[in-house]
Amino acid sequence: GSNSAKQQVSKDYKYGSITIPAKDGSVCNAPNYIAYEKGFFKKNGLKANLVANPRDISDLEAGFASGKYDAQNGDFQYLPAIQNGAQIKAAGGIHQGCIKLLVPKNSSIKNVKDLKGKTIGIPAQGSTPQYVTSIALQHAGLDPKKDVSWKVFSTDLLAKAAQKGEVDAIGTVDPYAYQAQKQNGFKTIIDNNNYSGNKEMAKMGMKKKGSCCYLYISNKLIQSNSKKAKAIVKSYQEAASWINKHPEETAKIELAKGYVSKTKFINVANVSQIIKDEHFNLNLSKGKSDLSYYISQLKQAGYLKKDTKNAELLKQAYWNPKLDN
Amino acid sequence: MLETVTLSKKQRIKAVKQDKAETKYWKPWRTTWNILSLVALMAAYAENQFVPAQELVNNGAYKWFLIAYFIYLVVVYAVGSVIHGRIRVYSGHFAQLNTILGLLLVVQDLITEKFAIIKLPFFVSFAQILDQIKTDQKLLIASTWSSLGLWLISFVIGTLIGVILGLFMGRYRQFNYWSFPFLKVIGIIPAAAWMPLTMVIFPTSYLAEIFLIAFAVWFPVAFMTIGGVQSISTDYFESAKTLGFSEFQILRKVVIPGALPNIFIGIFTAMGLSFTMLVISEMIGAKVGLGWYINWAKGVGNYTQVYAAIVIMAVLFSVIFSFLNKLQEYALRWRKRSN
Amino acid sequence: MLETVTLSKKQRIKAVKQDKAETKYWKPWRTTWNILSLVALMAAYAENQFVPAQELVNNGAYKWFLIAYFIYLVVVYAVGSVIHGRIRVYSGHFAQLNTILGLLLVVQDLITEKFAIIKLPFFVSFAQILDQIKTDQKLLIASTWSSLGLWLISFVIGTLIGVILGLFMGRYRQFNYWSFPFLKVIGIIPAAAWMPLTMVIFPTSYLAEIFLIAFAVWFPVAFMTIGGVQSISTDYFESAKTLGFSEFQILRKVVIPGALPNIFIGIFTAMGLSFTMLVISEMIGAKVGLGWYINWAKGVGNYTQVYAAIVIMAVLFSVIFSFLNKLQEYALRWRKRSN
Amino acid sequence: MVQLTVQNVNRVLHDNAGQRINVLEDINFNVNSGEFISIIGPSGCGKTTLLRLISGLDQPEEGQLTVDGKPITHPDVSRGYVFQHGSLFPWETIKENISSGLKAVYGRHYDKKLVDHYIDLMGLKGFESAYPHQVSGGMAQRAALARSIVLRPELLLLDEPMGALDAFTRADVQNVIQRVWKQTRTTMILVTHDIDEAIYLGTRIIVMTPRPGRIKEIVTNPLTFPRDRTSDDFLKFRRTIQDKLNFGVTEN
Amino acid sequence: MVQLTVQNVNRVLHDNAGQRINVLEDINFNVNSGEFISIIGPSGCGKTTLLRLISGLDQPEEGQLTVDGKPITHPDVSRGYVFQHGSLFPWETIKENISSGLKAVYGRHYDKKLVDHYIDLMGLKGFESAYPHQVSGGMAQRAALARSIVLRPELLLLDEPMGALDAFTRADVQNVIQRVWKQTRTTMILVTHDIDEAIYLGTRIIVMTPRPGRIKEIVTNPLTFPRDRTSDDFLKFRRTIQDKLNFGVTEN
Ligand SMILES: Nc1ncnc2c1ncn2[C@@H]1O[C@H](COP(=O)(O)OP(=O)(O)OP(=O)(O)O)[C@@H](O)[C@H]1O
Ligand SMILES: Nc1ncnc2c1ncn2[C@@H]1O[C@H](COP(=O)(O)OP(=O)(O)OP(=O)(O)O)[C@@H](O)[C@H]1O
Ligand SMILES: [Mg+2]
Ligand SMILES: [Mg+2]
């Protein structure tokens, strides 16, 4: 039974199957869902297996190292882990910012400089919101290690913590950020989504069209079967551009197929707005230059080792699939 | 002097059962309370029907739940008032509790969806949870089966390993000397720290999941089993020897039954832990499952779904718990019941 | 017939102590094993010193550890060979284990940093962990204190609540009737599901953390306490009554001491749980702490740090465990020791 | 001077099958102040049930029990009870056990000398700080006795306090009881299976029959003090009681 | 026909304080096949210690024990042992307990009729599927006896099997033992505190003294069967033994 089923797979799918930890209910995992639902994986000869996402980097890393996972889209927060030996490489930024630093409605904090001496809530030590905030703090001449203190809350509780006054500001991600803005009147201090090249944002170190999430591929796969890895990249590329063109339809698929759980707030209108704002597009060369920028920033902020050789780390962290087209 | 009155065997067994039911369910049958509990449920229905809601809820599932609950009570009370058996004892005992539950249903409905004193998203009414279960029923059924299968296989493996290790460590002090220090160290490593290692060590993530749950089980079981074996009176070992038991027979006929009461304590302790680990372990590689469902719902902060999964887990837990309780009662039927 | 030989009190107490030590630490004092264990440690040092490493490690801390271990053994062996007391019994018993530990140190060092048979980042040598502890010592000390404080306060609160609830539920069946169903339901809700609610309910996140840990503690403690109270022979209650005890005195002098053995089982069970919850609860609102440290290290994939925190937790756990053990031994000194 | 009266007492219990058992039927007797009553009868004849009624731990379905004319409604320190299976609190030392009743009744300022006195009298010196499991069965029973006696009850109920002891230790505890009885003149009611014991200690002996538990006969003990277990009078009276219990011929 | 010989046996144990106790000193006696030996002596004189040596559960520091000339090195089914505190397995029913030795020795195809026979003989019919805690103490001890007897041991060691029973039940179990002994002619050695019991059952009585445990005297029982506990001969012999134990005069 299973043997012939395998043969069936290899006949229909040139490169066999891949496993992607994607099913975590998040909106911006759209490329996984769309590549699967719209047949981009299949078209490129891949039988995709979408499974739960452990979210915890160390668990993901172990999954990649042991060959249980093949690809995933994730934030640039993986950089320190890669430096510590995680067997994954980024292959192009996949969409733009979904990270924001918010303050409650009546907060006296008006800009990054006001954050001095304040407590900032973040989902985890070493999470992207912490890094984004740190970059902005650095650009404002503040030391992210000394001038602010960080307090950890799980993502769903950050807004609550700020409302209760446990923290002065929160670094968070969409859709939680979007919801806090819309429903609870949180004000944005930092937004890493600088699609238009806003000068204010650029001053805070948010690059124009800067990638936020990357497509990550297992080192093992890149080394053992680069064609298959390329096929993955292609699938995501096609999915991303499809999403960019059809944000509304993407939102509908996410909600209808149960990738994202429906709530009063998480509806087609809001989800498609989030997707629209994120400007999905798998950009290979831009992704690399952004990553290089993040490496220098994180090193300066002390999140990477002091003796980091930027170019070496970039090589370790980035793979250019050199797609034919 | 052998004139002790000998009850027939059947009589004795029946008597014991009745007696047990009566000491466990001790509240007497009172018609007043039976009626009150029905009234409370009717009140819950009426309140839900007539008080206007501030939140948007589909109360259909909740109403059916109330009707089913009502019918169930009517039936057991009817049976109980005719037949003087276990049903009467049982339903008489719980009538007061049912009354309060009815009132609690009214209260929770009022303070959540009706007057929104405590609000969404963190606080939801029971009606909303039931409606969520109805909406997601397909996914939830698939998740329940998947989780149950994973749990069962892991729990059995964990228990077996725990019992075997515990028996050996309790019986053979050389074995204990060499293994206890290592097991102690391994046992206190929190599961979260294990997760990456298990992913690296085990070939498939399903095996890693099984390991994580089994791991949460074997430690308390082994720990309790050791204590159980060590508490067996040496008299039993010595009589076994004078009766010609081999070492294997001693293990099977003295060590295992003697440690069984403690083994059950270990198993019950492990139950709660195993459910916690189920939720955690389903974050690696599961496609469906109650733990996965909770994590998924948390992805956008849909607490109604989280609560829906918890209600199902609570029901599952209760069912497994009472099954294990029955098993324990049977396996330890040789014990004198206290009181 | 009163001519039973009466040992002097002091003599008896000393005798009991000695005896206890001997049955627990039963391996006899053998000079060969003592020497072997010292040799094994020397081998570990030599191996670390002379075999070239494949990974970049600072072995300084590890070497000091080996030297300290060696000196410790030399001292206890020296004392043991002169004075026939507890130290001799204890160190004699553990000589074989120390030998194997020495050899294990050699093996783990070889397969990790020396020959890299199992590799970074998931597998690290003990030397690397020790070096990490040394590097992060400031942060780790602060974290340890913070976690210890949080744990202690939560554990005490949880235990108290568990014991009080358990005593009342075990003693008063009306109380049991009304509270048990609710406690059962509350008890099986996984802690992860509690997290959002605690944030909403408690004014500060520190209180929420305390709640989460205390919550993991009180359930097993209460559960065991109930069983403990119910297992107390009615004889004791009745003699208390004929001796003129008031209800309060019965609680204090019969119910509490009678349930104490079970309470301790509950406390030991809760220990492991509370450490797991410590790691989880430090995800809300912590600025420092071992759980926070682990989560942070996991976030950047630095397993050496994860292991470093675990080593510290394991040490902490052992210390608390043996303290609780001593406490139990004292509190239950009235019990007949089995064997 | 009548102290305890037991009038037309019936005690009905239900067995596991829910059937009525008349455990005690039509029990009538009086006990005078200072008497030593031995109750003897086979296992299950209701001896413990009767003592529990007298102590007030249980209430009879019919009939009345009074002490000095007042009905017995609940346990009281004036009626000491030494249980069949020594029920010293295992978590208290011998001394704590003996003083526990005093502490409960008089608070912290109880008469510590009294405790020491009885520790002496019961031959428990040197074992004050031992726990019950660390002393022999005989010592534990002497301590249980002291725990009740030290409260100076008017009436002391002894439910086979020597049932679990070997013959030698038993003789020793019997002597202790007799000594206490003589010194304090406390009224005592002793339940026992042992004919020798009943005769050796009792001034009157109540012989019971089982199913339903009834009083067969109340026999006044003709023996004077000091009593000798090997004397001919003792053996003769022993045979009388044995006959009343239909106990003696053995081969079946 | 000598079966068991005990020669110059010494048993030395260490107490909690680490001090040597000579528990048994210079024990010498022979037991012939078919005899019924009663061993009597006060608590702590080493009776249990001696039985354990005979069974092979322990080894003496000095001296030798042999059965039919072969030294005793380990417990064996040919030497049954009924423990002081009935050690029926509480997790097996009465019937399972009685057959457990047979099952262990003969596997699944043991003689089931034999089990039924002894259940009958011991008056346990109707209680086959009861668990030990559900039957009375007397029944439990009869079952423990049956469990050993059913293995047809050559020698049966009885360590106060009736110590925990009341006088009435005790007489009953004594009769059962006597009946089994007469029917099977198994050699039996009974340890007891109870003089009546020792006399009623034994063909010879070994009187022991404590600290160190020594044999004071071995007395041959002059009484013939059937024996009557109330006969004058019985009482006379009882007084002889009582005197040897320095036991009788009571008031101190
Ligand atoms: N709580 C109870 N419920 C039902 N039956 C009981 C209860 N207590 C005692 N009995 C029954 O009442 C009868 C008398 O019991 P009781 O304990 O008074 O006897 P006893 O003379 O003290 O016996 P023993 O000498 O064995 O102590 C027995 O048949 C017993 O089974
Ligand atoms: N394992 C042991 N270690 C030290 N002393 C022991 C041990 N076993 C028995 N003794 C001591 O040996 C003596 C004899 O014990 P044994 O149990 O043989 O007496 P016994 O005659 O059977 O007493 P009883 O009639 O109370 O059963 C006692 O003083 C006892 O304290
Ligand atoms: Mg009784
Ligand atoms: Mg003995």
Side-chain angles (χ1 to χ4, degrees), chain C residues 98-118:
Chain C
N98 282 322
T99 311
I100 292 294
L101 283 183
L103 294 180
L104 278 183
L105 284 173
V106 173
V107 171
Q108 63 84 24
D109 203 49
L110 286 178
I111 62 174
T112 55
E113 66 176 69
K114 300 306 187 200
F115 298 143
I117 295 167
I118 53 176

Side-chain angles (χ1 to χ4, degrees), chain B residues 94-120:
Chain B
F94 283 115
Q96 295 183 28
L97 194 67
N98 282 323
T99 311
I100 292 293
L101 283 182
L103 294 180
L104 278 184
L105 284 173
V106 174
V107 171
Q108 62 84 24
D109 203 48
L110 287 177
I111 61 174
T112 55
E113 67 176 68
K114 300 306 186 200
F115 299 142
I117 296 167
I118 53 176
K119 277 196 272 288
L120 288 172

Side-chain angles (χ1 to χ4, degrees), chain C residues 46-55 57 59 62 106 108-117 125:
Chain C
E47 173 274 321
N48 185 265
Q49 177 74 9
F50 298 116
V51 181
Q54 301 223 354
E55 289 166 4
V57 200
N59 280 310
Y62 180 59
V106 173
Q108 63 84 24
D109 203 49
L110 286 178
I111 62 174
T112 55
E113 66 176 69
K114 300 306 187 200
F115 298 143
I117 295 167
S125 70

Side-chain angles (χ1 to χ4, degrees), chain E residues 48 84 159-160:
Chain E
T48 299
Q84 188 160 4
D159 192 354
E160 290 182 57

